[in-house]
Amino acid sequence: MFGRGARIDAVDELDRAILRELQSDARRTNRDVAAAVGVSPSTALERTRALRRRGVIRGALLDVDLGAMGRPVQALVSVRIRPPSRAVIEEFRDWAQGLPETLGVFVTTGTADFVLHVAVPDNDRLYAFVIDRLTQHTAVADVRTSVVFEHLRTTRVDPVAQD
Amino acid sequence: MFGRGARIDAVDELDRAILRELQSDARRTNRDVAAAVGVSPSTALERTRALRRRGVIRGALLDVDLGAMGRPVQALVSVRIRPPSRAVIEEFRDWAQGLPETLGVFVTTGTADFVLHVAVPDNDRLYAFVIDRLTQHTAVADVRTSVVFEHLRTTRVDPVAQD
DNA sequence: GGTGAAACACGTCCGAG
DNA sequence: CTCGGACGTGTTTCACC
């Protein structure tokens, strides 16, 4: 599930400031971050480690250019599966997650049980992914594909006060 | 658009290996990466810099726990806008991208012009986002909301041969 | 908690192959 | 293109506040 990080012992102003800095670039040096938020490097280091220990920071992801990786075509593929039982959902989820075309898997409510975010080299491969790969899974009952012209990601999540 | 990184001068085996290592953790030290792929630190450093210069590596994103940030409820919100002209699309895209609830914006084909990936503290705030915030924008013609139970991201994009 | 200083590790540059 | 080594910067620990 979300990994809702258990009950968190409040993220204070200093933590928020550190998170802001690291969200702008996860490779900022600890010295930089410390200077930007106005504390000593040792303090910034201890806070950052604590955020990691508490699970607020889960890691640092490399942001790669999908076009440069030879996969300029993105799509959102809505999938309905049958039956939508736990066993089938979890099996399909893990299977879809492991496909090389897959960037992400959303497990959803609504008309679709899953929305797959995929990136492929061209339209032919997108079509092949949908009609060959997906339909080869016996649980797939329905598929709707939307091509993604553009995908913007927010690089800044502001913490909201707990409870 | 995608930022398809101009024509790339082929990502060779060493580049691929470096990308694999960094995708597992964007904060791996250069020395670590060098040891893992079997070259000297100076070679690994030069390769990594070249990947950055060529736009293959765009940066490093902090992976935060949305639950720990006080925003455990995620949704995909499909939005149809009217008229779907360039000016209106770009204006809506930038507006949506700037909302604090927004994690990402997909510009798509199909029944929806946009799919917004959002994270909020609870269901009430999700409802408020849809019926207060979104409908306040005059271009919004239709909205469909799917709650996201789970979102898995792939942390590994394999490069595909170019052309 | 927060801090500065010292010990250590790392990123970086460069001359050479 | 790759390498090793020298040098400056960053990280980490720890005794003190």
Side-chain angles (χ1 to χ4, degrees):
Chain A
M1 284 302 194
F2 288 146
R4 60 188 74 45
R7 53 232 94 277
I8 299 304
D9 323 270
V11 174
D12 70 12
E13 264 316 309
L14 179 53
D15 290 328
R16 297 165 77 99
I18 289 173
L19 287 167
R20 263 198 304 279
E21 297 302 323
L22 287 177
Q23 282 188 95
S24 76
D25 175 5
R27 288 187 60 110
R28 294 277 301 270
T29 66
N30 183 60
R31 276 169 121 87
D32 259 15
V33 172
V37 304
V39 294
S40 71
S42 34
T43 299
L45 183 64
E46 173 48 31
R47 288 299 194 117
T48 305
R49 279 180 171 163
L51 288 169
R52 214 172 245 276
R53 247 185 286 111
R54 291 154 59 187
V56 179
I57 293 176
R58 305 206 297 190
L61 306 172
L62 198 68
D63 184 14
V64 299
D65 184 303
L66 293 169
M69 299 287 273
R71 296 165 67 175
V73 175
Q74 291 180 58
L76 289 177
V77 183
S78 299
V79 179
R80 204 161 52 87
I81 62 166
R82 175 147 309 163
S85 62
R86 173 179 289 272
V88 174
I89 284 178
E90 292 182 350
E91 192 279 329
F92 179 81
R93 176 196 64 195
D94 297 341
W95 177 79
Q97 168 73 359
L99 298 177
E101 293 88 350
T102 301
L103 297 180
V105 175
F106 297 89
V107 186
T108 63
T109 61
T111 54
D113 299 303
F114 289 92
V115 176
L116 309 182
H117 181 201
V118 301
V120 291
D122 51 44
N123 279 317
D124 285 349
R125 306 253 204 142
L126 175 57
Y127 192 49
F129 173 77
V130 174
I131 66 172
D132 295 329
R133 196 95 84 167
L134 276 187
T135 57
Q136 132 197 341
H137 195 287
T138 55
V140 172
D142 193 43
V143 177
R144 282 183 305 120
T145 305
S146 287
V147 171
V148 173
F149 289 132
E150 190 174 5
H151 178 210
L152 305 176
R153 267 186 294 186
T154 299
T155 58
R156 196 150 144 187
V157 176
D158 288 310
V160 171
Q162 306 284 307
D163 301 343
Chain B
M1 283 300 195
F2 288 146
R4 59 189 73 45
R7 54 229 94 284
I8 299 304
D9 322 272
V11 174
D12 69 13
E13 264 316 308
L14 179 53
D15 290 328
R16 297 164 77 100
I18 289 172
L19 286 168
R20 264 198 304 279
E21 297 303 322
L22 287 177
Q23 281 187 97
S24 76
D25 175 4
R27 288 187 60 109
R28 295 277 298 272
T29 65
N30 182 60
R31 285 171 118 89
D32 258 16
V33 172
V37 303
V39 295
S40 72
S42 34
T43 299
L45 183 65
E46 172 49 29
R47 290 298 195 117
T48 305
R49 278 181 172 165
L51 288 169
R52 215 172 243 277
R53 247 186 286 112
R54 290 154 58 188
V56 179
I57 294 176
R58 305 206 296 191
L61 306 172
L62 198 68
D63 184 13
V64 300
D65 185 304
L66 293 169
M69 299 288 274
R71 296 165 66 174
V73 176
Q74 291 180 57
L76 289 177
V77 184
S78 300
V79 179
R80 203 161 53 88
I81 63 166
R82 176 137 308 162
S85 62
R86 174 179 290 271
V88 175
I89 285 178
E90 292 182 350
E91 192 279 330
F92 180 82
R93 176 196 64 195
D94 296 341
W95 177 80
Q97 168 73 358
L99 298 177
E101 293 90 350
T102 301
L103 297 180
V105 175
F106 297 89
V107 185
T108 63
T109 61
T111 55
D113 299 303
F114 289 93
V115 176
L116 309 183
H117 182 202
V118 301
V120 292
D122 51 44
N123 280 316
D124 285 349
R125 305 253 204 143
L126 175 57
Y127 192 49
F129 173 77
V130 174
I131 67 173
D132 294 329
R133 199 94 84 167
L134 276 186
T135 58
Q136 132 197 338
H137 194 287
T138 55
V140 172
D142 193 43
V143 178
R144 281 183 307 120
T145 304
S146 287
V147 171
V148 173
F149 289 131
E150 190 173 4
H151 178 210
L152 305 177
R153 267 187 295 185
T154 299
T155 58
R156 196 148 142 192
V157 176
D158 288 311
V160 171
Q162 306 285 307
D163 302 340

